[in-house]
Amino acid sequence: MKNIIKTTAVFLLAVGLFACRKTEKLNVDYSTFNPDDPRTNTPLDQWLKTNFLDEYNIDVIYRYNRYYHGNTANVVPSKLENIQPTMQMVLDGFITPYRKIAGETFTKTYMPKEWVLFGSYAYANTSDPGVAGTAAAGRRITLYGVNDYQPLPAGQFYAWDRQRIMHHEFGHILNQIIPIPTDWEAISKGFYKQPYNDTPTDTARRNGFVTSYASGVSTEDYAETISWLLINGQVWYDDWASFANTAGKARFVQKENNVINYYNNLGINFKKLQMEVQQYMIGIGLKESKFAYWLGKNRTPLVTPLPSPAPAPIPTFKSLMLNPSADYYVKYGGSTEFKQLYDQVVANVFAIAPGGRKVNFIRFDFPSTTSVTMNINYTNSAGTVFDAKYAFNMAITLATSQVKFTTGTPGGTDAPWVANANTLAAAVKPLSDYLVNNTFVANWLPVNVVPEDYMKLAGFSVLNAPTNYFYGPLAY
């Protein structure tokens, strides 16, 4: 009873004290006590507000907040100096391509309204490889690893990896709003296995997956397929599929078509979006987006174990066809300078005694990544078709996409290499001189190509003379 009385007395005393306390107004600016107070209006905050909040109603959350990564992960805050360049990558490589191709309404409607940035990857334990990004509730993308940022060119991997993560996570965002097509999972049914990292990359590739991660579950497979088609481009995808088994190749084709149809149903031309993203990736120097890279790359046979002796390396591209009268030249036009040279060669060949030879086309074959065979296909006055072949060495500088041709060693002693080549040698000398006397830039040409033909046509322009070029369709 005494304890109850004492407690009551104390309570009444406390009430009395508070009842007698007067209210005072304090003139205190609390923001000065916390330089990272979210209400501050730094130049970074102003830039984010102008470019994201005002334009897209996107809130960029870069100040550390444990709520956004949960209690099971270990994460460190972002370095403030890395926020703006990272979000500039979001604008340039992700939001802008969607806005240009999908339109303003789609972009402002479906773009995630929260972007959360953390300095490190999210690690659950010491053996965890780390989470690079997440998507949540159809409205939030979280990017981890911001403290790895470096300016270009040293930061090329960072820039590529941010795009990979963003396009992957946005695939999830779209799928959370508009479900994955019901026929998707059936494409690789029976091949999804967890944990995904127990599936080697070669096995995943053989079975029709772009990465081992994609082989874990169908939803990740969808997001990965979207991401890799966009960030590494069509040639990478086709090359990756080229050494899958027959069923795996079919799955790659089915998956690409499924994604294209999914985007079409959203009102988006996926091939246009792919081309737009690739222009950005070329701008940051991504080698897989360059014609020069694939021109100098061999395909690696996906055979385990490799037979002995190992098969000869196979260049990615087999040939480039050149025919100024073909449909693609009618469609896109060509270089006036090169057309004059080509017409001169055609006239020279026609004038060779006894006269009447007609050039059908010129094809550049790639027997290796360091050599080119110029094949002149022609018909004599009697209607018989011949080939005349000329060998050139090819040196590629990947950093600049520059290519230098020099005279090579004939690849044989048969008629195309000797008799026919000698017959046409003087007539085609202007073209041979053109090749060896110039430095070229290898590129996807022409520049006005439509998305459906992008990375299917390519060619060479004279260094510092972009209007002097030749191009044609590529064959694998």
Side-chain angles (χ1 to χ4, degrees), residues 62 93 127 273 280 362 443 467:
Y62 66 88
S127 61
L273 181 63
Y280 172 81
I362 299 174
N443 208 346
T467 62

Side-chain angles (χ1 to χ4, degrees), residues 184 188 192 208-209 214 217-226 255:
W184 171 264
S188 288
Y192 294 112
F209 298 102
V217 63
S218 63
T219 52
E220 298 300 337
D221 187 18
Y222 209 81
E224 283 286 88
T225 302
I226 290 172
K255 289 178 180 182

Side-chain angles (χ1 to χ4, degrees), residues 55-58 94-113 170 268:
E55 186 67 20
Y56 297 100
N57 196 27
I58 291 174
F94 176 65
I95 294 179
T96 299
Y98 268 98
R99 182 165 183 167
K100 182 174 181 179
I101 304 305
E104 182 176 342
T105 299
F106 176 92
T107 305
K108 291 187 175 182
T109 301
Y110 291 107
M111 277 293 138
K113 298 310 177 186
F170 189 56
I268 302 171

Side-chain angles (χ1 to χ4, degrees), residues 190-204:
F191 290 91
Y192 294 112
K193 297 179 181 178
Q194 289 285 6
Y196 73 87
N197 48 14
D198 285 349
T199 301
T201 299
D202 280 357
T203 301

Side-chain angles (χ1 to χ4, degrees), residues 401-403 405 434-435 438-442 460-463 470:
S401 293
Q402 292 182 16
V403 177
F405 298 106
Y434 172 78
L435 291 176
N438 287 294
T439 298
F440 294 87
V441 177
F460 303 87
S461 61
V462 175
L463 181 65
F470 62 95

